[in-house]
Structure formats: structure tokens, C-alpha cells
Amino acid sequence: MRARNFGAEAGFAADLDACRSALRGGSKTFFAASLILPGNVRGPATALYAFCRAVDDAIDLAPEPARALDTVRRRLRRIYDGGPFDDAVDRCFAETVERFAIPRALPEALVEGFEWDAERRRYPDLDALYAYGARVAGAVGAMMAILMGARGAETYARACELGVAMQLTNIARDVGEDARLGRLYLPLDRMRAAGLDPDVFLARPRFDDRVARVVGDVLDAADALYARGVSGIAALPAGCRPAIRAAAFLYAEIGREVARRGFDSISGRAVVAPSRKAAVLLRATLAPPGAPSGPGPAPLPAIARLAEAASLSRRPVPAPPPAWWRLHARAERMIVLFERLAEREQYGNGGD
């Protein structure tokens, strides 16, 4: 690994600022959790999430998704060939790929998941939904674990499963929004068992007890994966555990907000109030560090390939957590975080 800090040059620092700006408005849960990442991980993580958001938007908002997918794949090839497009996000992600030896199979899996979105693919059961979540979120979890210096297939598997849990939460929260865009992610077998015809529902999405039952099933599956994923956090470097625990707690809180609304994610979109986010972040930050336990359950078949790919990374062992991880500095960082969240709540900018 190079001796200089990530993004130390003036030009690169400007690129990284552009990535932060992109995420500050569109990925508020990540932005909040990232504030308590160690400094040596926060920059690369921002670059990773900015790239994920950029390519997702490039495909999702394109009038011709197939052409946009070709462009995204070309962007990825250029990044791995060492000649990224003249774009701040691509340059930052190329630096991250090189510095942390991110196996190409991981962002390729992410792009494949975006391709499934463009195809308006439907999912016959939870296993198929796990396969989708593994691509669009599990791959990101594996890449984050690499950035943090995690080691071992078990740790990568838990990171992938945590990503899938978060994606299931997103699906449960966005049922109505997705349906109005012509997308359906609820498992078809659960819908039919509840008495719902998927085509009829998609043509006219309406909330009722049958929908509540299926949304509840998806959130139950997410909770089971949160339990598995959180169990792997103790295997991460100590300085990284609070931020990942915070991300898990924040996403799980979104699921609880959906449940508080009677599982109605069609009439409106569940949003966690900034004051509650602050409380969740405090709980995550001050929680005992924990210690790695023995081997956990076998990984979901959907994420086994990703965990194996992540294990191919040959990134050197990272340096110890930076000085800010001392308790008094951590408290100062939390005060800054609470101030930012309070400001957002005051001005009504509390989305997830």
C-alpha cells in the first residue's frame, strides 16, 4: 500500500468532496453512519458508495437502460484497466479498487443486479430475492469489509448477509413506490399464498391485510439476516464496528417504522426521524465492542460466491485505528453528529 493517505493530493481531495456531496443528499443513512467511520476508511467508503449510487442512477434514470448498462460496464472495465473516465466518482473508485485490491467479481455482481432491475425481473420466492439482494447489496457489504481490512470467508459472509438484510428492508419500505414504477420485488409465492395476484396488484397497488402479511414476511426474513450479519461485526477492526453497527441499527429501525405503520408501505414511505436516528447512532457507538465468536451458520447459497471472491483480496493488514478512536475524541465526534442531525430535523431534511 502506498504511504500517502487516501485522497491526499489536492485534485483528488476535490474529487472526494464531489463524492461526499452526491451522497449527502441521496444516501442519508450511509452519510450518518459514515461520520463515525475511522478516517482511514471513511474516504474509500465514500468513493465506493458514490460509485454504486452513480451507476444505479445512470441505469435507473436512463431512457434506454440497455445502452446505459453497456456504458456502465465500459466504465468498470476502464476502472480496472487503470484508465477511468474523466469523472470524479470514477477516479475515486479507481483509486479505491487499486488501493484495496477489490476483486472485480464484486462490482460486476452489483452491475448484474442493476441489470435485473432494468429487466423488471420478478422473484418467485425468498431464495430468488436473496440472489437479487446478494448482487445489489451483498456485494457492497463484501467490498466494505475489504476496505475495513476484514479477513476470512466467515466475516465476508456475514457482511454480505447484512447487506442483503438492508436490501430486504428497502424492498419492504418501497412496495408502493416500486409498484408505481412498474417494479415488483415481493416474493411471488408469498403473494399468491396471501391471495394476491401479482399482475393485478402491480396494475393497481392498494394496501390491505394481504399486502401487510407479505411485507411482514419480508421484514421477518430481514430480521433473521440482521441477526446473522450483526454477529459478524465483532470480527471487524475495532474502529469500524460502531459505524457498521449503526448502519445495521438504522436500517432495522426503518423496518420497525414500517411495522409501526401496520406494514403499509403503499400509502406512504416510512421515514425515521432524525432525533430517533441520533438515538440509534448513540446506542451503536457506545455499545460494548464485543468479541469474535465461533463459526456461525453456513452462508446463504446466494452469497457464497461473493464471500469466496472477497477472500481473494490481498490487501495488506491495516494500521491500528486512528487516534480519534479514544473515548474523548469519540464523544466530540458524536456531538458534531448530533448537531448535524438536529439541524436537518429543524429544516425538515430528515429522509433516509
Side-chain angles (χ1 to χ4, degrees):
M1 186 186 301
R2 305 169 199 166
R4 63 177 176 77
N5 291 330
F6 186 91
E9 301 94 336
F12 192 87
D15 284 347
L16 199 55
D17 280 342
C19 292
R20 292 190 189 100
S21 295
L23 292 176
R24 193 172 288 118
S27 297
K28 296 182 180 65
T29 298
F30 166 77
F31 182 73
S34 73
L35 292 173
I36 52 175
L37 274 172
N40 60 343
V41 178
R42 198 179 315 126
T46 298
L48 167 61
Y49 269 80
F51 180 77
C52 295
R53 171 52 63 96
V55 297
D56 187 14
D57 287 347
I59 298 166
D60 196 35
L61 304 177
E64 298 181 56
R67 181 175 295 182
L69 273 162
D70 288 341
T71 301
V72 165
R73 290 193 175 99
R74 191 160 63 252
R75 288 172 69 175
L76 197 56
R77 283 197 301 271
R78 290 278 296 268
I79 285 168
Y80 274 85
D81 289 343
F85 286 167
D86 186 16
D87 177 88
V89 170
D90 285 29
R91 287 192 295 268
C92 282
F93 187 55
E95 173 80 0
T96 303
V97 162
E98 180 186 355
R99 179 74 66 86
F100 294 90
I102 295 176
R104 188 168 179 166
L106 297 176
E108 285 180 340
L110 175 72
V111 174
E112 183 181 24
F114 294 156
E115 181 178 19
W116 291 7
D117 283 336
E119 294 171 352
R120 298 293 195 266
R121 186 176 292 207
R122 297 185 189 179
Y123 301 94
D125 51 33
L126 274 174
D127 286 339
L129 197 58
Y130 292 152
Y132 167 71
R135 285 158 175 79
V136 298
V140 180
M143 287 188 278
M144 278 294 296
I146 289 171
L147 300 187
M148 291 181 289
R151 288 291 180 273
E154 171 88 11
T155 303
Y156 291 130
R158 301 289 87 89
C160 288
E161 288 169 346
L162 191 54
V164 176
M166 293 177 181
Q167 187 61 33
L168 293 181
T169 298
N170 283 338
I171 288 168
R173 177 190 61 187
D174 296 337
V175 173
E177 185 176 315
D178 286 332
R180 287 184 282 273
L181 292 172
R183 295 176 175 175
L184 182 62
Y185 294 95
L186 296 177
L188 302 182
D189 62 342
R190 302 297 177 102
M191 293 186 73
R192 294 189 179 105
L196 288 165
D197 181 301
D199 292 318
V200 172
F201 173 78
L202 194 59
R204 191 176 175 81
R206 294 289 185 271
F207 177 74
D208 59 26
D209 290 344
R210 298 171 299 170
V211 176
R213 196 182 320 158
V214 181
V215 171
D217 287 347
V218 172
L219 287 175
D220 285 345
D223 286 342
L225 290 177
Y226 280 122
R228 292 165 67 122
V230 169
S231 73
I233 291 176
L236 298 175
C240 298
R241 293 173 202 165
I244 303 307
R245 192 181 295 113
F249 288 4
L250 285 170
Y251 268 90
E253 188 64 26
I254 293 170
R256 283 190 282 273
E257 184 62 29
V258 173
R260 290 185 193 104
R261 293 167 174 250
F263 303 102
D264 180 1
S265 52
I266 295 178
S267 304
R269 193 172 192 262
V271 174
V272 178
S275 55
R276 192 180 301 155
K277 280 186 180 181
V280 170
L281 284 165
L282 180 63
R283 179 162 57 94
T285 304
L286 300 182
S293 58
L300 290 175
I303 61 93
R305 179 174 63 90
L306 297 176
E308 182 179 352
S311 299
L312 299 177
S313 175
R314 294 290 181 265
R315 186 205 169 193
V317 176
W324 73 265
W325 187 245
R326 297 189 186 98
L327 183 59
H328 70 277
R330 190 189 340 173
E332 291 173 1
R333 192 125 188 103
M334 288 304 300
I335 290 170
V336 171
L337 177 57
F338 288 148
E339 289 174 348
R340 292 189 187 185
L341 288 170
E343 182 177 311
R344 288 178 174 217
E345 186 166 25
Q346 179 181 355
Y347 292 102
N349 188 18
D352 294 294

